[in-house]
Amino acid sequence: MGSVAVLEQSLPEDPAARRRRGIPRGAWVGIVPFTLYVLVFLGGPLYEVIYGAFTTTGGSLTWHNFSQTFSQPEYRSAFEESLKISVVTSLLGGFFGVWLACAVVTAGPRSPLRRIVGSGAGVLAYFAGVPLAFAFIATLGRYGEATTLLGHVGIDLGASGFDISSLTGVELAYVYFQVPLMVLLITPALEGLRPEWREAATGLGASTFGYIRHVAAPVLAPAILGGLLLLFGNAFAAYATSYALVGIYVNLVPGWIQQLISGNVLVDENGIGLALGVEMIVVIAVVMVAYGLLQRRATRWLR
Amino acid sequence: MSSDHRQPAKRTRGMALAVVVAGTLAIALAASSGAASGATNWSTATSATSGGGLSALIKAAKAEGTLNVIADPKNWADYGVEISTFEKLYGIKVNDENPLGTSQQEITAVQDLGSQSRAPDVVDIGQSYALANASLFAPYKVAEWSDIPAANKDPQGRWWNDYGGYVSIGCNTSIVKVCPTSFAQMTNPEYKNDIALDDPPTTANSAFSGVWAAALANGGSLANIQPGITFFQTLHHDGNFVETPGLPAAIASGQTPIVIDWDYNNAAETGLNKAKFKWTVAIPTDASFAAYYAAAINVKAPDPAAARLWEEFLFSPKGQNIWLEGYARPIELPTMIKSGSVNKTFEKLLPPVAVAAKYPTQAQVTAAEALIAKEWAASQS
């Protein structure tokens, strides 16, 4: 889930706040180490990926790698499946995340529920990858703890058609980290909804529905959409969770990249893997720009 | 080496970057180390004899003091013991870079690191990688060269097979009542949701070989892997196949009660899980498919003498018996059995093979890989 950390770095700074504080001369020296770090560990690999995608192993310019990714059905279906799983799990995660965040925010700032959910979400949003996959196998797998307990009370998960080694299993695991991430993303926006607005609306004769429709929804919409975009990027770049649960049965783009650039079977297909990487970078870049724009709107009411 | 699996993490080409940073410096370093090894230039020696004999080689290797190996997991065919024994024997420090890496990563490291001091001296890679990249390797023949069958080595000595194994069926007897001993039995409905490959066959050579073995059992041949793909499609369709890769954690949790993998990997699981359940290993009676890995010396090895000494050590009876202890079949096993230098205790622990395997040609491997790459994903959906 490295993508989230990267995306968060890119939160646009509020220009008004910058004017108010004023930036002292020479302050740029402070960001030199960080800039170097980014150049070496992001810029370098980025150059390698893009350069490799556009060149043959001999070093001459080529479009072959990209044309392969567009013409071969397995790569196309990988993109479709990656997009599908990202959309489905970000919508599910977004829905339940907003629901949970609403419940928590209405519980009031001092309620224990809020503190528990807040810190829980902070931890669980980053619980992903192989550990998450094996946690699911140990819980809901064929001989998992929950499966066994349910078996004792007469519920046979296996016979009911549920199987953790399936697309449903992978989506379930993804939603597990998507929900808490949405809670983290949306809680500040919900907290920004001032009680006065509601009182004012009610005072002017608005029903609850009218308040939500004309006040809360328009104020929250950019934040919710932005949150959904982040969840999308999060799921799009995720890979290890799915790999440990079902191998390549769920056919995802990062899975192909792994097979192409570091497998033990497909020889000399590096370039196609790099081309897929470039295409993923493009998708994530679009998501980030859209997120940045939405974030600017979302913060307008939250100062 | 190639452990293929065991580490499904995202991989980047970060290594290439290090080249950019350290490239120039390293060329200077390597040039000086080449000159320091005295009378013999070991980087061009094609055998210990041609360089002045084994004791001269040992002396030069000790002077270098280090050896860089890559992608040798400690518990894979007992590489951990190979390394520690070598270190103790010669007082040479062995750096095992990226122990869980894959064959492709080994090749990438050799290409990208050039003659830097941290470049791999030796590699242990899948056969097709050795053939495709032979120009990266130095011609060298170990003392036991004549004990290696002609089909298992490059005539020029740029690579040669080191150890291998058979495709086998590992089985958890506390979950599975009657363990299958053939591919034919695996279609039985009693194995519903039981059977896994250790990794996807597009990533791991072991799983790829598992599909090929299934092809042999189902009317296919070394020229035709298609029946293997169809076999797993049927298993998948009937619900006998588990999509979860049969990684050690999946085996330990019972999620994958039957795993098709190299016999040495399955045999290692027996020991790892003996406290919880019995894990049996059988070589399928209807298919013998084996493959060897290949050893090679980096033509630009920063420690050329240590690299050659390491190979001499691995192919001496001592090194070969350590692989055998890790349940792998060393390439010299037949001649060692004949000469009596084999460790009989370890030899007895190998799962018995009914029919000796035949090996595919490189053209057959390439064709089979292309077919798997094209059809596997679709056959499983």
Side-chain angles (χ1 to χ4, degrees), chain B:
Chain B
M1 161 136 234
S2 48
S3 139
D4 348 298
H5 40 244
R6 331 273 144 181
Q7 191 199 32
K10 221 174 297 170
R11 289 165 174 142
T12 63
R13 298 191 64 214
M15 198 167 276
L17 182 73
V19 187
V20 181
V21 180
T24 359
L25 178 74
I27 292 165
L29 273 175
S32 66
S33 80
S37 53
T40 307
N41 181 0
W42 282 99
S43 61
T44 52
T46 53
S47 70
T49 327
S50 80
L54 190 61
S55 52
L57 178 61
I58 294 172
K59 204 171 149 218
K62 280 183 172 167
E64 288 168 358
T66 55
L67 171 75
N68 300 336
V69 301
I70 178 167
D72 293 343
K74 286 214 168 355
N75 55 2
W76 172 293
D78 253 358
Y79 252 112
V81 179
E82 296 278 19
I83 290 171
S84 60
T85 310
F86 181 78
E87 286 185 324
K88 240 178 276 159
L89 211 50
Y90 300 110
I92 294 169
K93 181 163 174 22
V94 179
N95 305 314
D96 187 4
E97 177 86 11
N98 186 13
L100 298 172
T102 63
S103 294
Q104 181 59 52
Q105 289 172 332
E106 294 183 57
I107 295 295
T108 308
V110 169
Q111 287 170 335
D112 288 356
L113 295 176
S115 47
Q116 288 184 50
S117 65
R118 44 186 282 266
D121 287 308
V122 291
V123 294
D124 178 16
I125 48 185
Q127 175 84 27
S128 47
Y129 288 83
L131 281 162
N133 297 288
S135 62
L136 297 175
F137 307 128
Y140 187 78
K141 293 179 182 171
V142 292
E144 288 79 3
W145 187 254
S146 60
D147 292 344
I148 303 171
N152 296 96
K153 59 191 176 190
D154 174 41
Q156 295 179 46
R158 291 170 301 179
W159 59 264
W160 56 98
N161 288 144
D162 42 15
Y163 61 89
Y166 281 76
V167 167
S168 71
I169 306 167
C171 177
N172 181 334
T173 55
S174 73
I175 292 174
V176 181
K177 285 189 200 80
V178 184
C179 286
T181 52
S182 69
F183 282 101
Q185 291 165 6
M186 288 185 197
T187 53
N188 191 320
E190 74 175 286
Y191 299 125
K192 192 160 169 52
N193 219 352
D194 276 347
I195 301 162
L197 284 164
D198 65 304
D199 242 348
T202 46
T203 325
N205 198 263
S206 37
F208 169 69
S209 306
V211 177
W212 214 335
L216 298 184
N218 286 278
S221 67
L222 295 178
N224 180 16
I225 197 175
Q226 181 65 52
I229 301 176
T230 313
F231 175 79
F232 279 98
Q233 186 170 16
T234 312
L235 281 194
H236 177 84
H237 180 263
D238 296 347
N240 282 12
F241 190 66
V242 198
E243 277 71 25
T244 307
L247 302 167
I251 292 174
S253 72
Q255 181 74 5
T256 54
I258 299 173
V259 174
I260 300 164
D261 197 349
W262 293 129
D263 53 358
Y264 48 93
N265 287 341
N266 266 327
E269 289 299 324
T270 307
L272 288 174
N273 293 299
K274 65 172 179 244
K276 284 191 291 185
F277 52 79
K278 192 174 168 212
W279 183 260
T280 60
V281 186
I283 290 168
T285 53
D286 50 359
S288 284
F289 189 93
Y292 283 96
Y293 281 96
I297 297 171
N298 183 355
V299 73
K300 295 181 183 166
D303 309 296
R308 284 157 179 79
L309 182 61
W310 169 249
E311 299 299 347
E312 294 291 351
F313 164 74
L314 290 178
F315 287 82
S316 70
K318 189 168 200 145
Q320 296 275 301
N321 272 322
I322 293 174
W323 271 328
L324 184 62
E325 188 180 4
Y327 308 103
R329 293 164 202 266
I331 189 72
E332 295 162 16
L333 186 60
T335 51
M336 285 166 62
I337 291 174
K338 227 178 281 170
S339 74
S341 60
V342 67
N343 183 321
K344 296 206 172 55
T345 320
F346 304 147
E347 188 209 340
K348 284 203 193 89
L349 293 176
L350 291 178
V353 180
V355 192
K358 290 200 184 75
Y359 299 94
T361 65
Q362 188 52 33
Q364 290 171 331
V365 172
T366 311
E369 284 172 354
L371 197 69
I372 288 262
K374 193 158 142 262
E375 296 202 349
W376 181 261
S379 77
Q380 293 291 302
S381 51

Side-chain angles (χ1 to χ4, degrees), chain A residues 162-185:
Chain A
F162 177 80
D163 177 9
I164 196 71
S165 305
S166 66
L167 179 62
T168 320
V170 173
E171 287 175 343
L172 196 65
Y174 273 35
V175 168
Y176 189 80
F177 58 71
Q178 296 279 50
V179 170
L181 183 60
M182 192 64 177
V183 170
L184 289 185
L185 291 170

Side-chain angles (χ1 to χ4, degrees), chain A residues 6 16 26 53 57 73 102 107 132 134 159 260 283:
Chain A
V6 174
T57 39
C102 285
L132 175 66
F134 283 120
L260 290 166
V283 171

